Amino acid sequence: MAAGQLFSRNTQALFYNYKQLPIQRMLDFDFLCGRETPSVAGIITPGSEGFQKLFFGQEEIAIPVHSTIEAACKAHPTADVFINFASFRSAAASSMSALKQPTIRVVAIIAEGVPESDTRQLIAYARSNSKVIIGPATVGGIQAGAFKIGDTAGTIDNIVHCKLYRPGSVGFVSKSGGMSNELYNTIARVTDGIYEGIAIGGDVFPGSTLSDHILRFNNIPQVKMMVVLGELGGRDEYSLVEALKEGKVHKPVVAWVSGTCARLFKSEVQFGHAGAKSGGELESAQAKNQALREAGAVVPTSYESLEDAIKETFEKLVEEGKITPVSETKPPQIPEDLKVVIKNGRVRAPTHIISTISDDRGEEPSYAGVPMSTIVERGYGVGDVISLLWFKRSLPPYCTKFIEICIMLCADHGPCVSGAHNAIVTARAGKDLVSSLVSGLLTIGPRFGGAVDDAARYFKDAYDRGLTPYEFVEGMKKKGIRVPGIGHRIKRGDNKDRRVQLLQQYAYSHFPSTKYMDYAVQVETYTLSKANNLVLNVDGAIGSLFLDLLAGSGMFNKQEIDEIVEIGYLNGLFVLARSVGLIGHTFDQKRLKQPLYRHPWEDVLYTK
């Protein structure tokens, strides 16, 4: 390994297995350091492509998402760091794939528990191809003021507190990511801060060792002293001992190996990391500390004394003129996320949507304030749900039953009506369900099924103004307006629509008042005197009876009733009902595997 600096202010990474928070923390660190370009060049999410929106300071940016490692490396040839957030099950395969890319120089494996045999293969490949592995089981690494991996150093507040937004003079390496944060803080208190920090990971076989990074720090001119935090278990620290003895390290090294308390236990103890257990005296913290001390490292008598040892070493270098302490600079303020400041009550912001019918916050969704569990437990039906979502109140059972009857009676009227015909033709053209449904729905209007609101509007106006059927019909005729809800292409006075009769029977049996329906029947009597096909149709029946429902229930005032009719609630009932049939026709054609429809030419009048 050896060589020198791993990262710079221009380093860019590819991030494998999208995690919003670690990436955003990297970008916030970039902004804090004054980088001109984001350190995350691309994201790799197997099977997905597109972009992910994140923030670079106050500016929102779109980071490309690639489905494969190869595609990402090809698209971002200058990105030479691969940050792997895959699980322990797939981390080895994806890391090996990254190592085989010519553009990738450093691979950081975050997952812990990667099979040891897989890790050894990764290490062997990396060493034979002059590449660097950080991890597994690592939080990553950081070059102060330049680049950081994922969640290294924690929150922005901690990074600012540890002065990691600008480079110091200390190179730091540890097995533990959590203890790295502690040491970043300690080093910032008693020195001019970190230049570079690496957590090699706590697994038994780390991709790079403590000595690998110390020897590398030794070659970086800006690093004037090194701090090492080891732990009991394994023999990694002894490679550092040998390097010190052989004179390969020319800068002061302050070291401490944690785990001295292990001797207090009668049996072997497994500490936090897989590699943190002593396999004999040589692997004990005491033996390692003694060996490091004898090799020339500055080793305190306890962890509590480590801070003083670091301080004394730094101050000595300053006195010798080998370190010129870094002058402090004030980092820029990272903009806070809107949702955070709103939650903390520090800002107010207008909402963009108002919703009064449902709420999906909390334990369970609710319709008009009624929890979903209550709807199910009380056996509510479709009519009850419509009453909650459309009318924002629980209507009486006879009202919700009427709504359900309307849906059942209007669900379909055969394949020949315009809506069903359109849906059938579209389905036979090979289009999907939604396209077929929409093609049918788009035919609903004044001439097909869309007259319910108009029927209710005109019947209500005429009745409320006290017009006789004669005055109403003749007045509409003078205006050149057909009476909505009156007339049928097939039904006649002696063969009335059975659906209308069923609706009337239900209303006469259950509604407290049917004044609007009675008026509509009077209008029908008059229109039938003019033509036998001018019967009350289903639009007129639903429109007039819905007026009776709204007025007779006592739950709506005049203004609310007028608004319901004006907005188009009643046409909505026909749209909802007929959607059931249109979907059925679509499925029917697809099930029958019907070919593309072509209208027969003999059914067309060709004329000039």
Side-chain angles (χ1 to χ4, degrees), residues 45 73 82 84 145 149 282 287 350 374 406 416 486 536 560:
T45 302
C73 291
F82 183 83
N84 195 345
I149 294 171
L282 277 176
T374 300
C406 289
C416 298
I486 295 292
L536 181 68
E560 288 176 319

Side-chain angles (χ1 to χ4, degrees), residues 516-595:
Y516 289 108
M517 168 53 75
D518 294 340
Y519 183 74
V521 171
Q522 293 172 26
V523 171
E524 178 192 43
T525 301
Y526 178 74
T527 56
L528 282 174
S529 69
K530 290 177 167 293
N532 199 33
N533 70 322
L534 295 181
V535 294
L536 181 68
N537 60 36
V538 73
D539 291 348
I542 292 176
S544 58
L545 284 173
F546 236 102
L547 291 173
D548 288 326
L549 182 152
L550 296 170
S553 67
M555 301 181 71
F556 302 89
N557 58 40
K558 182 180 183 302
Q559 181 181 354
E560 288 176 319
I561 294 173
D562 290 340
E563 185 179 54
I564 287 170
V565 173
E566 186 63 33
I567 287 175
Y569 275 51
L570 308 188
N571 274 353
L573 195 63
F574 182 84
V575 169
L576 174 63
R578 190 50 57 94
S579 293
V580 176
L582 297 178
I583 291 172
H585 283 295
T586 300
F587 289 154
D588 190 41
Q589 297 303 305
K590 290 185 177 295
R591 183 172 52 248
L592 295 171
K593 296 179 175 59
Q594 289 297 285

Side-chain angles (χ1 to χ4, degrees), residues 380-384 399-409:
Y380 282 7
V382 172
D384 297 287
C399 294
T400 59
K401 179 64 176 177
F402 176 76
I403 291 173
E404 292 176 359
I405 291 174
C406 289
I407 292 173
M408 289 187 288
L409 295 181

Side-chain angles (χ1 to χ4, degrees), residues 273-295:
H273 295 143
K277 62 179 180 179
S278 179
E281 178 58 28
L282 277 176
E283 295 186 11
S284 69
Q286 285 85 348
K288 291 181 179 183
N289 280 326
Q290 183 61 32
L292 286 165
R293 187 179 294 112
E294 292 174 354

Side-chain angles (χ1 to χ4, degrees), residues 1-7 105-107 123 126-135 173 196 198 200 206-217 219-220:
M1 189 180 192
Q5 198 161 296
L6 286 183
F7 314 118
R105 184 174 49 86
V106 178
V107 172
I123 294 170
R127 288 180 178 171
S128 63
N129 288 273
S130 301
K131 302 200 175 189
V132 177
I133 295 176
I134 302 173
V173 62
E196 185 184 317
I198 298 290
I200 66 170
S208 52
T209 65
L210 298 173
S211 61
D212 285 338
H213 293 285
I214 289 297
L215 291 172
R216 191 170 56 77
F217 292 159
N219 295 335
I220 301 174

Side-chain angles (χ1 to χ4, degrees), residues 92 114-124 133 135-136 203 205-207:
V114 177
E116 293 176 3
S117 60
D118 292 340
T119 303
R120 287 197 294 267
Q121 290 179 21
L122 292 171
I123 294 170
I133 295 176
D203 277 2
F205 297 101

Side-chain angles (χ1 to χ4, degrees), residues 419 436-445 574-576 578-579 582:
S436 302
L437 171 62
V438 169
S439 71
L441 291 176
L442 288 175
T443 64
I444 296 176
F574 182 84
V575 169
L576 174 63
R578 190 50 57 94
S579 293
L582 297 178

